[in-house]
Amino acid sequence: MEGGGEDDLHHWPPGVHSFDPKPLFPDAGMDWVNTYLLQAVIGTILVILVWLWFAKDQKVVPGFKQWVGEQLYNMVRNGIGREALGPDYRKFTPYLIGLFSFILVNNLFGQFFLTMFPTFSRVGYAYALALLSWLLYNGVGIAKHGLGGYLRLMTMPKGVPGPLYVIIIPLEILSNFIVRPVTLALRLFANLFAGHLVVIVFVVGGTLLLEQTSVVYQIAGGASLLMAFPIFALEIFVGVLQAYIFTVLTAQYVASSLAEDH
């Protein structure tokens, strides 16, 4: 601050720009190779390695490691896949497991001291993940019902009087093909972005208040920093919850695409 450099002025005070990625090779003209991409790649590698570790040396009587892996696997397979998809759950379980694990790891990067940024606080990553789920549920629907049958299923609910289709069809197109992926992405992004922004406010605000000469300000600053800890805990909970919700909604969208009628 006292140096008055342009870089200092650009990054102060903290705000939305605090979420801007940092290019890994700033002089190479590849700004897309940045810290967020690195986190996503590391997250992918971690998910693969952890599940391979869980699957190694399986025993009839599981040890702690195997028990943890089985609990996570059963939660997604039975609690999400089987509940939403019924008999069809097996073929989609690998995707749901990978989806939940990938979102969870990248959300927890927001609490990891070396990163301190959740990957999905960058909206493009949330949209990309929502696009994958969009392609999945539309793809399996077309594969089962055919293109014409699937479009009829998704836009013309049974039992609706014919004249009302003039209103219903545009609404169903908007809901099933546009609103679903957009809200899927924005729900994930907004929760991670807002939560981390609140942490920045409490930590930076508390630090500034502690630097003041007034005892009242210093007490308020200490209280603000203490409040950052339960907010961090809340962020962990929100990160887990959003991974679960994203996976549940993906499974439900796939189930609706496979259903014979709406």
Side-chain angles (χ1 to χ4, degrees), residues 74-90 93 96 251:
N74 288 335
M75 182 193 73
V76 178
R77 185 193 67 177
N78 299 335
I80 298 177
R82 182 178 288 176
E83 288 291 326
L85 294 161
D88 296 316
Y89 78 95
R90 286 186 177 86
T93 296
L96 296 177

Side-chain angles (χ1 to χ4, degrees), residues 53-116:
W53 179 61
F54 280 146
K56 187 178 179 181
D57 299 326
Q58 295 285 299
K59 299 177 182 178
V60 177
V61 179
F64 180 74
K65 178 202 75 171
Q66 184 177 334
W67 178 83
V68 171
E70 288 177 355
Q71 294 305 307
L72 289 172
Y73 180 81
N74 288 335
M75 182 193 73
V76 178
R77 185 193 67 177
N78 299 335
I80 298 177
R82 182 178 288 176
E83 288 291 326
L85 294 161
D88 296 316
Y89 78 95
R90 286 186 177 86
K91 66 179 71 173
F92 300 105
T93 296
Y95 178 76
L96 296 177
I97 291 285
L99 182 66
F100 175 80
S101 305
F102 181 72
I103 297 174
L104 179 60
V105 168
N106 281 277
N107 287 353
L108 294 180
F109 278 142
Q111 288 73 49
F112 185 54
F113 69 96
L114 290 179
T115 53
M116 295 302 294

Side-chain angles (χ1 to χ4, degrees), residues 19-24 30-44 95 99 102-103 106-107 109 117-133 181-182 184-186 188-190 192 246:
F19 291 82
D20 290 343
K22 296 178 178 60
L24 298 180
M30 297 187 299
D31 290 349
W32 58 274
V33 183
N34 53 45
T35 49
Y36 282 93
L37 177 63
L38 178 62
Q39 286 186 186
V41 172
I42 292 174
T44 303
Y95 178 76
L99 182 66
F102 181 72
I103 297 174
N106 281 277
N107 287 353
F109 278 142
F117 286 105
T119 307
F120 294 108
S121 62
R122 193 72 173 176
V123 70
Y125 288 88
Y127 276 130
L129 208 58
L131 177 61
L132 290 178
S133 293
V182 170
L184 198 61
L186 290 182
L188 177 62
F189 157 73
L192 274 297
F246 196 105

Side-chain angles (χ1 to χ4, degrees), residues 15-27:
V16 174
H17 60 268
S18 300
F19 291 82
D20 290 343
K22 296 178 178 60
L24 298 180
F25 309 103
D27 299 325

Side-chain angles (χ1 to χ4, degrees), residues 209-230:
L209 288 171
L210 284 175
E211 294 174 352
Q212 305 304 309
T213 56
S214 171
V215 175
V216 176
Y217 286 159
Q218 291 176 351
I219 293 173
S224 178
L225 289 177
L226 288 175
M227 278 297 297
F229 288 97

